């Protein structure tokens, strides 16, 4: 079940925002990659100016929102290099992400001055052997690593009671729309930073909901790719990563840059590379992308959709109408055969599998570090016991860690659990999709993320609107492995038909909320 480690990216569409930051006529609030590239081309904006504007925005908002753990001290210098490359008209300067800043969730390794800590003091002063596979590809594509985004500590796998978006190094991250509403995790800072125009795009990771949920809660687009489509090497593991970026288009630019084979995650990335379309993903951004698409709706079975929740169903009625009006075929009231058996295989299996895999994967990650005070899960547990105040162990006990430490690798019972999870996927989600010839399953928020996670299936969440209190919610389209091209057509079609996303309230109101 290593499969659960999906790299995620967040793309956010930044439509406009908090305060209008402007330079030489360029407004960064809600600026898209297309707009930034046009401004580069017209010489009305440099990468250096762009990086400086984002740093200013981070300095304005971060003390309230706690979305960024560290800034890259080399970001401005890297932007100057990009500007020189553009001036010299180098081949690299024509790449789509060239000169574009990106934030990375703090569990994604970078071989530079930034720390990679998963939000824990235990990993400060560790030296990683190399850039994570996705970071290598980002650098090759010309993107500028702006810094590390905050996250639920250890991607939410230390403590069952720790809230989403909390880690020891930055404290509790805040939802920029309604401060009292859960910002969701674990890629919390990746989503908040895009939502508030602190950066153009960001990368997160997803094991089960860690991209889809924060993207949905913070009104940005999130793509969780098929597991293996993007390399997991160099990511502090549990299981997956996600990233979300503002607009569907921005997310697709990032997806295009990070997919592909990585020798440090060879088996999975080679296997999944067959899914990469030869022309890339950008040509899937078609305005009529919904036409003829068969979209499934499961109303009465938890884990697969709406769970008979009348309030949510009521909210989504208008989305169903929009989808139909845009040419999609809605296949409604679908049933899950053998639901009770499938649900129990999932609910009894997931945590046990993750506990075993986490210990194996974390120990492997720590062993590979060039230097580190931590070489095993046992070392991290001992660190937490030595510094309980620093890591808030009394408030948020390290119960996941302790339970994982007790596991002893993958033996017969664990093999059986993994087999049941595979069976739950083939008998559940895959059968549903194939029997009904569906292009995607529609689920609210991140409510379908567990089903997508256990099978390594992709999903894209798009802003779906705002509740009466102003809290954002998302609509998610999930599909079979490798269905990203189709999901992108669907998500883009929905986004273009609705354009729900709007930036959070002004900075002053964020302060008011967070004081509450
Ligand atoms: C990484 O952590 C070390 C030790 O706390 C600190 O001195 C350094 O400034 C950090 N790096 C960045 C880029 O913040
Ligand atoms: C953002 O705020 C948090 C919480 O105060 C802090 O730990 C972190 O270092 C800040 N990030 C930056 C880049 O200043």
């Amino acid at each position: 079940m290593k499969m659960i480690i999906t790299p995620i990216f967040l793309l956010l569409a930044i439509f406009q925002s908090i305060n209008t930051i402007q330079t030489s006529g360029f407004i960064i609030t809600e600026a898209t990659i297309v707009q930034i590239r046009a401004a580069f081309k017209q010489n009305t904006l440099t990468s250096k100016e762009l990086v400086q504007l984002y740093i200013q925005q981070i300095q304005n908002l971060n003390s309230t929102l706690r979305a960024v753990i560290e800034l890259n001290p080399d970001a401005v210098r890297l932007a100057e290099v990009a500007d020189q490359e553009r001036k010299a008209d180098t081949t690299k300067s024509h790449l789509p992400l060239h000169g574009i800043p990106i934030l990375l969730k703090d569990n994604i390794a970078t071989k530079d001055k930034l720390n990679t800590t998963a939000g824990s003091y235990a990993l400060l002063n560790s030296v990683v052997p190399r850039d994570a596979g996705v970071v290598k590809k980002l650098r090759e594509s010309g993107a500028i690593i702006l810094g590390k985004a905050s996250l639920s500590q250890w991607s939410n796998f230390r403590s069952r009671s720790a809230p989403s978006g909390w880690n020891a190094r930055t404290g509790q991250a805040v939802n920029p729309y309604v401060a009292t509403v859960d910002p969701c995790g674990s890629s919390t800072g990746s989503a908040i930073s895009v939502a508030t125009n602190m950066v153009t795009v960001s990368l997160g990771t997803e094991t089960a909901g860690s991209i889809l949920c924060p993207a949905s809660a913070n009104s940005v687009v999130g793509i969780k790719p098929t597991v293996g489509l993007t390399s997991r090497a160099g990511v502090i593991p549990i299981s997956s990563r996600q990233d979300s970026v503002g607009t569907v288009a921005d997310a697709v630019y990032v997806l295009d840059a990070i997919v592909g084979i990585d020798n440090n995650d060879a088996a999975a990335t080679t296997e999944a590379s067959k899914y990469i379309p030869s022309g890339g993903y950008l040509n899937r951004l078609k305005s009529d992308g919904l036409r003829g698409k068969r979209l499934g709706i499961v109303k009465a079975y938890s884990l697969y959709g709406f769970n008979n929740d009348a309030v949510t169903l009521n909210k989504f009625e208008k989305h169903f109408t929009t989808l139909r009006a845009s040419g999609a075929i809605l296949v409604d009231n679908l049933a899950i055969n053998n639901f009770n058996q499938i649900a129990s295989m999932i609910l009894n299996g997931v945590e046990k599998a993750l506990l075993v895999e986490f210990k194996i994967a974390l120990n492997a990650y720590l062993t590979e570090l060039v230097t580190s005070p931590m070489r095993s899960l046992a070392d991290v547990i001992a660190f937490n016991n030595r510094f309980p105040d620093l890591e808030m162990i009394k408030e948020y006990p390290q119960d996941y860690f302790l339970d994982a430490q007790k596991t002893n690798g993958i033996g017969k019972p664990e093999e059986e659990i993994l087999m049941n999870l595979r069976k739950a996927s083939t008998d559940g989600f895959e059968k549903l999709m194939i029997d009904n010839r569906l292009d995607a399953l529609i689920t609210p928020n991140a409510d379908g993320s567990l089903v997508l996670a256990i099978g390594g299936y992709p999903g894209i969440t798009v802003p779906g609107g705002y509740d009466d209190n102003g809290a954002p919610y998302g609509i998610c389209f999930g599909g079979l492995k490798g269905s990203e091209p189709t999901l992108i057509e669907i998500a883009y079609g929905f986004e273009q038909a609705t354009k729900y996303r709007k930036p959070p309230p002004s900075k002053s109101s964020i302060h008011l909320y967070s004081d509450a």
Side-chain angles (χ1 to χ4, degrees):
M1 235 182 58
K2 291 240 182 69
M3 13 156 156
I4 298 195
I5 307 184
T6 308
I8 303 165
F9 8 134
L10 311 180
L11 329 175
L12 310 199
I14 303 182
F15 282 98
Q16 48 174 351
S17 168
I18 304 218
N19 38 18
T20 298
I21 295 190
Q22 203 169 331
T23 184
S24 36
F26 189 81
I27 297 170
I28 63 158
T29 46
E30 306 291 289
T32 64
I33 290 179
V34 169
Q35 290 165 349
I36 290 170
R37 282 166 54 79
F40 285 164
K41 205 165 169 197
Q42 292 153 11
N43 289 317
T44 53
L45 177 74
T46 64
S47 293
K48 183 179 176 180
E49 285 169 335
L50 186 62
V51 163
Q52 287 172 331
L53 288 169
Y54 282 134
I55 290 174
Q56 192 189 321
Q57 178 79 335
I58 290 168
Q59 282 163 351
N60 285 345
L61 298 180
N62 177 65
S63 59
T64 312
L65 300 178
R66 300 165 183 240
V68 182
I69 296 195
E70 288 182 3
L71 278 173
N72 185 355
D74 291 326
V76 172
R77 188 185 57 78
L78 292 169
E80 284 169 352
V81 172
D83 288 331
Q84 283 153 14
E85 287 169 349
R86 195 174 313 109
K87 233 183 207 155
D89 200 26
T90 63
T91 315
K92 189 179 184 184
S93 73
H94 293 271
L95 294 174
L97 285 186
H98 184 264
I100 305 279
I102 185 164
L103 281 170
L104 308 172
K105 186 176 177 181
D106 187 43
N107 64 341
I108 301 174
T110 52
K111 184 86 176 156
D112 52 17
K113 292 183 186 141
L114 291 159
N115 296 288
T116 305
T117 68
S120 168
Y121 287 102
L123 284 182
L124 265 188
N125 303 315
S126 293
V127 178
V128 301
R130 64 189 81 85
D131 279 336
V134 287
V135 174
K136 181 163 172 270
K137 288 195 193 293
L138 284 172
R139 289 198 209 273
E140 285 164 0
S141 74
I144 294 164
I145 310 299
L146 183 61
K148 293 288 171 78
S150 68
L151 73 174
S152 309
Q153 198 188 39
W154 297 103
S155 299
N156 218 3
F157 213 68
R158 183 193 97 184
S159 177
R160 289 179 180 85
S161 44
S164 285
W166 175 87
N167 72 75
R169 290 188 62 207
T170 54
Q172 178 63 51
V174 174
N175 187 314
Y177 288 85
V178 187
T180 48
V181 164
D182 185 356
C184 208
S186 63
S187 308
T188 319
S190 302
I192 294 173
S193 59
V194 178
T196 57
N197 296 292
M198 294 181 184
V199 71
T200 321
V201 287
S202 68
L203 217 55
T205 69
E206 167 141 353
T207 302
S210 283
I211 292 179
L212 297 177
C213 191
S216 165
N218 294 286
S219 206
V220 297
V221 172
I223 300 186
K224 161 187 141 49
T226 303
V227 170
L229 193 64
T230 52
S231 166
R232 297 157 297 176
V235 174
I236 299 174
I238 316 178
S239 255
S240 61
R241 16 168 162 156
Q242 345 148 259
D243 63 10
S244 69
V245 184
T247 57
V248 175
D250 283 353
V252 172
Y253 273 104
V254 178
L255 182 65
D256 254 340
I258 64 173
V259 295
I261 296 173
D262 174 14
N263 291 334
N264 294 309
D265 186 12
T269 52
T270 306
E271 161 74 17
S273 65
K274 65 176 182 238
Y275 297 131
I276 304 171
S278 59
Y281 295 97
L282 276 173
N283 58 14
R284 301 308 177 123
L285 302 171
K286 308 179 192 169
S287 50
D288 66 344
L290 282 166
R291 188 151 307 281
K293 296 294 188 315
R294 291 175 61 84
L295 308 178
I297 302 168
V298 175
K299 285 183 176 160
Y301 300 83
S302 62
L303 299 176
Y304 289 85
F306 292 88
N307 197 19
N308 279 328
D309 169 3
V311 174
T312 306
L313 274 167
N314 199 30
K315 235 165 41 180
F316 273 68
E317 240 356 286
K318 67 173 184 286
H319 300 328
F320 299 155
T321 305
T322 303
L323 291 164
R324 283 196 193 96
S326 306
I329 300 146
L330 268 54
V331 190
D332 203 350
N333 289 312
L334 291 168
I336 308 291
N337 297 330
N338 301 323
F339 175 75
N340 289 338
Q341 192 200 354
I342 289 169
S344 95
M345 286 193 285
I346 295 176
L347 298 175
N348 294 326
V350 168
E351 186 177 299
K352 287 184 193 129
L354 289 181
L355 288 168
V356 177
E357 290 168 343
F358 175 68
K359 182 180 178 186
I360 298 169
L362 184 68
N363 285 344
Y365 175 88
L366 295 174
T367 309
E368 269 230 318
L369 295 173
V370 177
T371 57
S372 177
M374 301 291 129
R375 286 303 184 181
S376 63
L377 175 58
D379 289 346
V380 184
I381 291 172
F383 178 92
N384 289 339
N385 289 333
R386 205 150 16 109
F387 302 103
D389 294 340
L390 197 60
E391 291 280 327
M392 292 185 69
I393 296 298
K394 267 193 223 91
E395 293 81 353
Y396 312 132
Q398 50 178 335
D399 47 353
Y400 272 135
F401 275 11
L402 298 174
D403 290 349
Q405 183 57 21
K406 282 184 218 140
T407 64
N408 282 306
I410 303 203
K412 248 208 153 139
E414 291 77 19
E415 294 278 13
E416 198 181 315
I417 287 170
L418 295 176
M419 208 183 65
N420 282 338
L421 288 173
R422 283 194 293 271
K423 194 167 150 50
S425 286
T426 44
D427 293 359
F429 185 66
E430 279 188 24
K431 188 168 163 34
L432 175 78
M433 296 293 293
I434 293 166
D435 285 358
N436 296 288
R437 293 176 290 118
L438 299 179
D439 292 300
L441 180 70
I442 301 174
T443 53
N445 307 307
D447 293 1
S449 54
L450 195 52
V451 161
L452 298 179
I454 59 160
Y457 305 114
I460 304 184
T461 178
V462 181
Y466 303 85
D467 291 334
D468 290 345
N469 65 354
Y473 67 91
I475 178 169
C476 179
F477 304 98
L480 292 172
K481 282 187 191 172
S483 65
E484 280 84 354
T486 304
L487 297 182
I488 289 166
E489 290 180 3
I490 295 167
Y492 186 71
F494 178 82
E495 181 192 54
Q496 296 309 302
T498 56
K499 302 219 169 145
Y500 281 117
R501 179 181 154 78
K502 55 182 187 201
S506 73
K507 191 185 165 194
S508 56
S509 34
I510 289 174
H511 278 294
L512 281 179
Y513 282 128
S514 67
D515 291 339

